[in-house]
């Protein structure tokens, strides 16, 4: 299922630096971003789990996520869906705020994630 595949990918990004790099080099980010917009909340939740774990890597990974345009979708989800998805979106916001730059934090604020 899509949920199981996304959860597996999320676990790869929760691993070592080597695992994160290998996953980042082979992951098709646009597909994960597309699934983050899914109307199926289980799929969206797992997509944000993957994105949150991606941003727990290098600042370059965080920059890639911030520049992907997903912040607006995150702001929408923080305001209007069930806790099951909000939890993973909040984790992504926290990872960006901690691992990101001042520019990343400004982007979070300007898109309405805070």
């Amino acid at each position: 299922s899509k949920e199981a595949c996304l959860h597996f990918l999320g676990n790869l990004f929760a691993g070592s630096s080597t695992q994160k790099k290998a996953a980042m080099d082979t992951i098709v980010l646009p597909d994960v971003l597309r699934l983050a917009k899914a109307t199926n909340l289980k799929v969206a939740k797992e997509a944000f789990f993957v994105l949150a774990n991606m941003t727990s890597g290098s600042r370059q990974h965080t920059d890639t996520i911030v520049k992907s345009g997903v912040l607006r979708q995150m702001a929408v989800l923080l305001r209007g869906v069930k806790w099951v998805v909000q939890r993973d979106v909040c984790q992504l916001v926290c990872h960006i705020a901690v691992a990101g730059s001042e520019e990343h934090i400004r982007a979070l604020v300007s898109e309405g994630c805070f």
Side-chain angles (χ1 to χ4, degrees):
S1 73
K2 289 178 186 175
E3 298 93 1
C5 290
L6 284 166
H7 197 79
F8 172 77
L9 291 174
N11 286 332
L12 282 177
F13 282 105
S16 69
S17 295
T18 304
Q19 288 172 314
K20 285 180 187 179
K21 182 174 179 349
M24 196 67 163
D25 289 346
T26 59
I27 284 293
V28 181
L29 183 60
D31 290 333
V32 176
L33 294 170
R34 182 180 50 77
L35 291 170
K37 295 178 182 179
T39 55
N40 180 327
L41 294 181
K42 290 180 183 179
V43 172
K45 176 208 176 303
E46 294 299 339
F48 279 102
F49 174 68
V50 173
L51 294 171
N53 285 343
M54 282 177 162
T55 57
S56 69
S58 70
R59 185 167 283 177
Q60 180 183 2
H61 294 163
T62 301
D63 193 54
T64 300
I65 300 303
V66 169
K67 289 180 177 177
S68 73
V70 75
L71 298 184
R72 181 161 289 139
Q73 175 69 8
M74 291 166 50
V76 168
L77 291 172
L78 286 170
R79 289 188 190 89
V81 298
K82 296 181 181 180
W83 172 246
V84 68
V85 178
Q86 288 176 334
R87 180 184 61 205
D88 288 293
V89 174
C90 286
Q91 184 178 10
L92 177 52
V93 169
C94 290
H95 285 193
I96 292 171
V98 170
S101 65
E102 188 174 318
E103 178 184 335
H104 296 144
I105 294 169
R106 282 192 184 118
L108 285 170
V109 171
S110 71
E111 290 294 343
C113 294
F114 282 114

